[in-house]
Amino acid sequence: MPDELRKLLVEHFRWVDPGPAASHLVSDVSGWWREPEILARLGPALADLFRPDRPTVVVSPEATGLMLGPLVATALGVGFVPAYKKRPDGRLIAGPTTWASTTSDYRGRTLTLGVRDRHLRPGDRVLVVDDWVATGAQLRALYQVVAARSAEPVGTAAVIADCPAGLAAELRVRALLTGREI
Ligand SMILES: O=P(O)(O)OC[C@H]1O[C@H](OP(=O)(O)OP(=O)(O)O)[C@H](O)[C@@H]1O
Ligand SMILES: Nc1ncnc2[nH]cnc12
C-alpha cells in the first residue's frame, strides 16, 4: 500500500462548509491536482489496484472523474472514455450514446449517465475510475451502460471508498482510502 501517497492525499483534502443553507459539508479534492507528487503518483497507484485484471479501457464520470481517469489510463497504457451526465438544459452528447439512470445517489439525486457507443466494444474489460464511492449509485448505472455494450466491468478503482464493505465487495471497488481515514 503506498502509505506516503495516502498521507499526502489526506493532507491535501479539505472539507468545506458551503454556508448556513447547506445540510452537510462538501468535499474539496482540488488540492490533489495542485500537488505535483500526488499528480504523478495517483494514476499509477490506482492502476496497480487492477493491473492483474488486465483492463482494456478506463471509464470515468464527469466531473472529477474526467481528471482522474486519464491519469490511470496512461499508467495502464489503455484508452480513456468519458461518461457524461444528462443535462437539465437538454444539451445532447454528439453521436449514438447508451444511457442508464441511477438510483438516489449520495446527494439524493437521480442522474442519467451516458457513454458514446463507438468507444465501448464487445469484449472490452472496463475499469471504472472515480474519486469517491458513497452509495454506489453512479457505479451501478455505469456498469449497466458497460454491460449494454457487451463489455465487462472488471471493477472500480477509487481514491476513497466511503461505503460499507459489503457494497465495495459487490461492486468490486478497490480504493486507496476509506471514508473514516479522510
Ligand atoms: O456513490 P455515489 O452516491 O454515486 O456518489 C459518488 C459520486 O458522486 C461524486 O460525484 P458528483 O456527482 O458529486 O460529481 P463531481 O465529480 O462533479 O463532484 C463522486 O465523484 C462520485 O462520482
Ligand atoms: N464528492 C463526494 N462524493 C461522494 N460523497 C461525498 N460526500 C461528500 N463529498 C462527496
Side-chain angles (χ1 to χ4, degrees):
M1 202 39 100
D3 283 336
E4 241 174 79
L5 174 62
R6 286 153 37 89
K7 217 170 129 227
L8 283 172
L9 288 166
V10 174
E11 220 172 282
H12 293 274
F13 172 87
R14 297 273 182 279
W15 285 111
V16 177
D17 184 350
S23 57
H24 51 273
L25 298 176
V26 298
S27 60
D28 174 6
V29 302
S30 60
W32 294 345
W33 320 124
R34 182 67 179 84
E35 195 56 38
E37 202 178 332
I38 296 180
L39 198 59
R41 293 178 59 183
L42 193 48
L46 289 169
D48 285 347
L49 299 175
F50 276 91
R51 223 177 267 285
D53 300 270
R54 295 172 289 102
T56 60
V57 65
V58 167
V59 171
S60 302
E62 61 174 333
T64 311
L66 302 192
M67 286 179 270
L68 202 48
L71 299 178
V72 180
T74 303
L76 287 170
V78 302
F80 171 72
V81 179
Y84 294 101
K85 289 172 177 153
K86 204 167 244 180
R87 299 172 206 258
D89 65 6
R91 202 183 115 197
L92 292 172
I93 304 304
T97 301
T98 296
W99 299 94
S101 292
T102 69
T103 51
S104 182
D105 78 350
Y106 78 103
R107 282 170 56 191
R109 297 172 301 181
T110 304
L111 301 165
T112 306
L113 295 171
V115 174
R116 285 187 182 88
D117 290 350
R118 75 179 199 276
H119 294 319
L120 286 184
R121 299 172 195 128
D124 259 333
R125 296 173 55 75
V126 177
L127 176 63
V128 175
V129 169
D130 207 353
D131 62 327
W132 200 295
V133 181
T135 66
Q138 296 192 34
L139 293 187
R140 283 185 204 282
L142 281 179
Y143 286 10
Q144 279 174 34
V145 169
V146 169
R149 298 301 304 149
S150 304
E152 183 192 350
V154 297
T156 294
V159 183
I160 299 159
D162 188 16
C163 62
L167 180 71
E170 181 199 336
L171 295 175
R172 301 176 298 284
V173 175
R174 299 175 198 161
L176 298 175
L177 294 166
T178 65
R180 250 178 278 126
E181 292 172 290
I182 205 85

